[in-house]
Amino acid sequence: MLQSKAVVITEHASKYLQQLCKHFAHKVSVDYDAAQGKVDFPFGDCIMRADEAALTIECSAKTDEELARAQHVIDDHLTRFAWREKPEIAWQA
């Protein structure tokens, strides 16, 4: 499995984690609480953890294309939900 990780600095990590998980739960399997969440996309999985300072997101997938798709979906939605903050999302392998 290929993996990538992003740490987004924000005081609203729990809020964004819950927004993302609630949104994705309309279409895919999601398990979450205020501090952590797991999203099972058909093209990969994303695990999120929130604390007072940051939202940490770890994605895993079988191929480079699927990993890029998982990252794009997270990027797109988090950017929309956190539009006031304009979060910096930098993925690392």
Side-chain angles (χ1 to χ4, degrees):
M1 290 292 265
L2 302 170
Q3 296 182 332
S4 63
K5 178 179 177 179
V7 178
V8 181
I9 305 302
T10 177
E11 294 177 359
H12 306 287
S14 178
K15 173 186 168 185
Y16 297 141
L17 180 150
Q18 292 178 73
Q19 275 185 295
L20 289 165
C21 289
K22 284 178 189 176
H23 179 77
F24 296 139
H26 293 289
K27 294 191 176 189
V28 298
S29 176
V30 174
D31 184 31
Y32 72 98
D33 60 27
Q36 60 189 356
K38 183 172 189 291
V39 181
D40 296 321
F41 294 116
F43 42 83
D45 297 330
C46 290
I47 296 172
M48 295 177 265
R49 288 184 307 282
D51 62 31
E52 299 80 29
L55 175 63
T56 302
I57 308 159
E58 296 177 352
C59 292
S60 59
K62 293 178 185 173
T63 68
D64 287 332
E65 293 79 19
E66 289 176 333
L67 187 59
R69 185 172 177 194
Q71 292 171 346
H72 175 74
V73 169
I74 296 291
D75 287 351
D76 183 54
H77 287 82
L78 182 55
T79 300
R80 282 192 266 155
F81 294 150
W83 62 272
R84 287 180 182 96
E85 288 188 59
K86 298 182 175 115
E88 287 188 38
I89 308 166
W91 293 97
Q92 298 176 342

